[in-house]
Amino acid sequence: MAMIMTHYGYADVTPQTINADPDNFATYYPAYLMSTIYVDGITATRKVTTIDATLATGNPVVVGLHAYGGTHFIVLISGQVEST
């Protein structure tokens, strides 16, 4: 989320500033970031949408990958449909 927010010009937002507010995390499992977070007077809300539709608007997409016993998040800024 810090990467997305800095993409939009909020250069002071870092993982540390997001982590500084415990309300940004679920009380039932603190490792889960809430859908809406608040940092440095900025509100960011994650939405459920299709990747291609969001990328077509020029907005980045955060994708969570679950593999090898862990989770990693990446930011997509463009895409291409691959045929299988």
Side-chain angles (χ1 to χ4, degrees):
M1 290 304 295
M3 290 173 64
I4 295 292
M5 294 172 93
T6 56
H7 169 80
Y8 284 107
Y10 301 103
D12 293 335
V13 176
T14 66
Q16 291 78 15
T17 58
I18 293 171
N19 292 344
D21 186 347
D23 290 335
N24 286 333
F25 298 90
T27 56
Y28 55 88
Y29 189 67
Y32 289 164
L33 190 64
M34 299 300 286
S35 292
T36 299
I37 63 169
Y38 308 92
V39 60
D40 294 342
I42 305 160
T43 302
T45 302
R46 293 181 283 154
K47 298 178 182 178
V48 175
T49 187
T50 63
I51 292 172
D52 291 335
T54 300
L55 292 174
T57 68
N59 290 299
V61 174
V62 177
V63 178
L65 307 169
H66 301 280
Y68 307 107
T71 301
H72 184 74
F73 294 91
I74 59 171
V75 178
L76 303 177
I77 57 171
S78 67
Q80 178 179 335
V81 176
E82 296 290 330
S83 61
T84 56

